[in-house]
Amino acid sequence: MSAQPDLLYSEEEDALRAAVRDLLADHCDAPGVIARTESDTPHDLAAWKALADGMGLAGLLVPEDKGGQGASHREVAVVLEELGRAVAPVPYLTSAVVATEALLACDADDLLAELASGRRIGALAVALNVAPGGAYKVVRHEDGALHGELTAIADAQAADVLLVPADDGGLYAVDASAVTLTPQIPFDLTRPLATVTLDGAPGRLLGDAELAVHRALRAGAGLLASEQLGLAEWTLTETVRYLKERKQFNRPVGGFQALKHRLAQLWLEVVNLRATARNAADALATGEDADVAVAVAQAYAASVAVHAAEEALQLHAGIGMTWEHPIHLYLKRAKADSIAYGTAGAHRARLAELVDLQAP
């Protein structure tokens, strides 16, 4: 009989949250993030260095004997909640979670240790929209070199090493300097995308691509729900704060019953999202029904995060429509996240398969 999932936060997790929030308050203030989206360097590598090198958070999923912190997905989920609250332009999800999980499925301890220390940044060269278990594009492996083009690779511009699946079934480590990166224009400017072109790039065989990619995408999808939770919580909190301060007819706007009902409904959705996100993180940490927990979380998370951001935009009225206010960052991240690692519909279909509940 499986153990009940632990959805609560431990004292250590609360302390970790406070430390990450303080760090992001210093590095990822809203005006700074907006300014970065308008520049040629959207990634905040100073914030990444503080997270990875200063706090050792890049190696949370890596065992201590392999150079990491030996923590679990629960702690990573807390970090991602805070990164979602700040819409932080750092490659944490793509390197410290997805690429790291792929390496954990392979025999690549040296590369794993480099990612865990933050000395190098990794990116799995699979399109951001691919769901766990979904079909993904591969490149051609010929005479020890890789040839082909892969699109919609998240955070490839920040990566030092790319993990590339090939048509021989292998996953290869390719130095980023050996490929051509062409930036794509993403909807979410804080998580850049690129087309990766390999024209005879040398690659080091790491292991079986199918196993590694599935493990990586499952963890990415499950922990993305925590990022979506952090985003939804920030937008709800900021909207409530604003409606308490803004006055109309000589009374706070938040006092009007119609708005109270909208906020109460949104609060219920966010609470439910917290439960599904925590359940996914706990399931990934324990290995208990992880596929089901991830599918449930992603079947629900996207709509809540998008709804929270849309309500924030509407209820902030005119100021919410300005570029200077950060709400547009949250709405764009929420919309982009809604198709990252599979759409809600794809996860509902997967959940139906897992629990043998087929549509008529």
Side-chain angles (χ1 to χ4, degrees):
M1 188 174 181
S2 61
Q4 292 296 318
D6 182 4
L7 306 185
L8 302 178
Y9 298 98
S10 66
E11 291 184 6
E12 292 79 7
E13 289 165 355
D14 286 335
L16 174 61
R17 177 193 308 285
V20 174
R21 187 173 297 187
D22 286 346
L23 185 150
L24 293 175
D26 293 335
H27 286 86
C28 290
D29 61 302
V33 175
I34 293 172
R36 283 198 168 277
T37 65
E38 299 174 313
S39 73
D40 295 329
T41 55
H43 290 102
D44 190 339
L45 295 183
W48 168 255
K49 182 175 176 61
L51 288 165
D53 188 23
M55 297 184 68
L57 300 183
L60 287 180
L61 290 178
V62 180
E64 292 184 65
D65 61 356
K66 296 182 184 296
Q69 305 301 319
S72 76
H73 300 80
R74 292 175 57 90
E75 289 79 13
V76 174
V78 171
V79 175
L80 282 167
E81 285 179 33
E82 293 307 308
L83 294 176
R85 286 180 63 91
V87 201
V90 295
Y92 190 85
L93 180 64
T94 48
S95 182
V97 176
V98 177
T100 295
E101 285 278 0
L103 291 174
L104 285 169
C106 302
D107 184 19
D109 289 357
D110 56 336
L111 189 53
L112 195 60
E114 290 181 334
L115 261 62
S117 68
R119 293 193 302 272
R120 301 183 80 185
I121 296 172
L124 180 66
V126 171
L128 183 60
N129 65 305
V130 176
Y136 53 89
K137 190 175 179 181
V138 299
V139 298
R140 188 175 83 257
H141 181 261
E142 184 178 326
D143 298 328
L146 301 171
H147 306 263
E149 183 177 276
L150 302 167
T151 59
I153 308 303
D155 293 332
Q157 294 101 314
D160 302 297
V161 60
L162 298 168
L163 309 181
V164 182
D167 58 2
D168 64 350
L171 184 70
Y172 290 83
V174 178
D175 195 285
S177 63
V179 306
T180 301
L181 296 178
T182 306
Q184 296 178 257
I185 300 176
F187 188 65
D188 173 18
L189 297 174
T190 64
R191 181 168 284 150
L193 305 176
T195 296
V196 177
T197 304
L198 300 98
D199 187 13
R204 167 190 163 195
L205 180 62
L206 300 174
D208 179 74
E210 185 175 353
L211 179 65
V213 170
H214 181 269
R215 174 172 175 167
L217 296 183
R218 185 181 71 171
L223 292 173
L224 177 66
S226 292
E227 178 183 288
Q228 292 165 305
L229 170 61
L231 185 155
E233 286 185 329
W234 184 92
T235 51
L236 175 59
T237 300
E238 284 300 302
T239 303
V240 170
R241 182 191 61 76
Y242 177 73
L243 293 182
K244 286 181 178 179
E245 295 176 354
R246 184 185 173 208
K247 292 187 177 180
Q248 199 170 59
F249 305 114
N250 205 32
R251 62 179 289 188
V253 174
F256 293 107
Q257 191 173 39
L259 298 189
K260 287 182 178 180
H261 287 171
R262 288 171 68 173
L263 293 172
Q265 176 60 38
L266 186 56
W267 180 82
L268 287 173
E269 293 178 13
V270 172
V271 169
N272 289 334
L273 172 55
R274 183 183 302 119
T276 61
R278 292 299 294 167
N279 182 53
D282 187 70
L284 287 168
T286 62
E288 291 281 345
D289 294 326
D291 288 337
V292 171
V294 168
V296 168
Q298 276 306 315
Y300 185 72
S303 62
V304 176
V306 171
H307 183 212
E310 289 176 341
E311 287 287 72
L313 182 66
Q314 291 181 17
L315 295 177
H316 274 77
I319 192 173
M321 298 296 294
T322 64
W323 184 261
E324 290 74 18
H325 199 285
I327 287 180
H328 65 92
L329 296 177
Y330 290 84
L331 179 57
K332 291 169 185 173
R333 173 66 70 88
K335 293 291 285 185
D337 281 356
S338 70
I339 61 171
Y341 305 115
T343 62
H347 286 283
R348 283 193 289 269
R350 174 60 176 156
L351 179 61
E353 294 177 3
L354 290 170
V355 299
D356 195 23
L357 185 63
Q358 299 301 315

